Amino acid sequence: MTDSLTIALSKGRILDETLPLLAAAGIEPLDNPRISRKLIFATNQSHIRLVIIRAADVPTFVEFGAADLGVSGKDVLMEHDGDLFELLDLGIARCRLMVAEPAEMAANDNPANWSRLRIATKYVHITRRFFATKGVQTEIIKLYGSMELAPLVGLADRIVDLVDTGNTLKANNLVEVEHIADISSWLVGNTASMKLKHELMQSTVAAIAAVLDEK
Ligand code: ATP
Ligand code: PRP
């Protein structure tokens, strides 16, 4: 189907910021994805449909061509590390990926002296890569959420997690000690679709880029 496009959107917090952006670019779902249990949504543009999936699955759908375009956090893209085009920084869902540790540990800690760390995170690959380039050995404990709990119950000394306002760290007496990356959500594209559906992909990306330019 070279005459139609599927766009994969992350459900959750990214969706709330993506839908207005798409609407401004002239793409609006016919049903409300915030309340519907549907997974596929037709839009006002008959050749464009949306699929709404878990944030961590967007790069997989796009890489394997189940979706032509997708909207995904840079954190998820870095962790996935797959073969897809990063087309536009949408500038939404901004936060930062940080190493954090208990405040009392930070008082006597120097990251320059780190040699071996026990870290809880859902970003296993990013964490391994980040510390490997620094020559720091890591024992990584994979979690799926609430990373901040790990140092409080002795599961790990430190965490790698997203920080926005810093409220979650503060509420759990943790502090940021190392910056890994600034995060925002990106429009990504399937590499084959960029060639096979060139015109449709280009016009859709251009419509979204125009909305960003107006901001
Ligand atoms: P799931 O609910 O499927 O397990 P999730 O908990 O990672 O996924 P969200 O919390 O909706 O899903 O986060 C999705 C994306 O939003 C993240 O990958 C990141 O890019 C961004 N994000 C997460 N937390 C924040 C935050 N506190 N502030 C801003 N952006 C954030
Ligand atoms: C994210 C992230 C932090 C929190 C940071 O969690 O994992 O816990 O937001 O935001 P803050 O600095 O503004 O407090 P989320 O709310 O997505 O919950 P999760 O643990 O289920 O991922």
Side-chain angles (χ1 to χ4, degrees):
M1 286 198 292
T2 55
D3 54 352
S4 66
L5 276 191
T6 300
I7 307 178
L9 303 184
S10 303
K11 61 180 172 187
R13 76 179 77 220
I14 293 181
L15 189 63
D16 291 338
E17 294 189 66
T18 307
L19 290 175
L21 201 62
L22 288 183
I27 304 164
E28 296 192 63
L30 299 182
D31 291 306
N32 184 349
R34 292 191 186 93
I35 51 178
S36 171
R37 294 290 299 168
K38 280 186 181 178
L39 298 171
I40 300 179
F41 293 84
T43 72
N44 59 326
Q45 301 204 25
S46 56
H47 61 290
I48 298 182
R49 64 179 186 168
L50 308 178
V51 294
I52 315 268
I53 54 183
R54 285 192 68 173
D57 290 333
V58 170
T60 305
F61 274 65
V62 174
E63 183 174 6
F64 290 93
D68 305 290
L69 291 168
V71 174
S72 186
K74 185 75 179 176
D75 52 323
V76 172
L77 294 169
M78 288 166 67
E79 183 68 11
H80 178 79
D81 197 24
D83 182 20
L84 34 75
F85 281 121
E86 294 184 2
L87 299 166
L88 285 177
D89 182 353
L90 301 177
I92 58 176
R94 284 185 192 277
C95 51
R96 52 198 185 276
L97 189 61
M98 303 293 300
V99 184
E101 65 186 22
E104 61 272 23
M105 179 187 275
N108 298 303
D109 193 22
N110 181 355
N113 296 333
W114 286 345
S115 60
R116 187 168 172 81
L117 305 180
R118 189 174 160 102
I119 299 181
T121 187
K122 68 175 164 191
Y123 302 103
V124 172
H125 298 119
I126 297 174
T127 301
R128 188 167 292 127
R129 283 199 303 266
F130 177 74
F131 285 106
T133 59
K134 291 170 158 291
V136 177
Q137 282 186 45
T138 47
E139 183 186 351
I140 299 173
I141 297 168
K142 164 90 182 181
L143 293 178
Y144 294 86
S146 304
M147 268 70 79
E148 293 86 355
L149 183 59
L152 310 184
V153 295
L155 184 58
D157 308 318
R158 297 172 180 82
I159 62 169
V160 166
D161 195 12
L162 299 173
V163 181
D164 177 21
T165 60
N167 289 341
T168 312
L169 288 184
K170 205 168 167 196
N172 294 290
N173 204 23
L174 302 172
V175 293
E176 303 169 41
V177 282
E178 282 273 280
H179 176 272
I180 299 180
D182 287 323
I183 303 298
S184 55
S185 289
W186 282 69
L187 182 70
V188 293
N190 172 267
T191 51
S193 302
M194 292 301 286
K195 293 182 197 125
L196 299 173
K197 303 185 180 183
H198 184 73
E199 265 178 45
L200 206 45
M201 293 284 276
Q202 281 305 119
S203 60
T204 307
V205 174
I208 297 170
V211 174
L212 298 178
D213 287 345
E214 280 167 21
K215 279 189 167 184

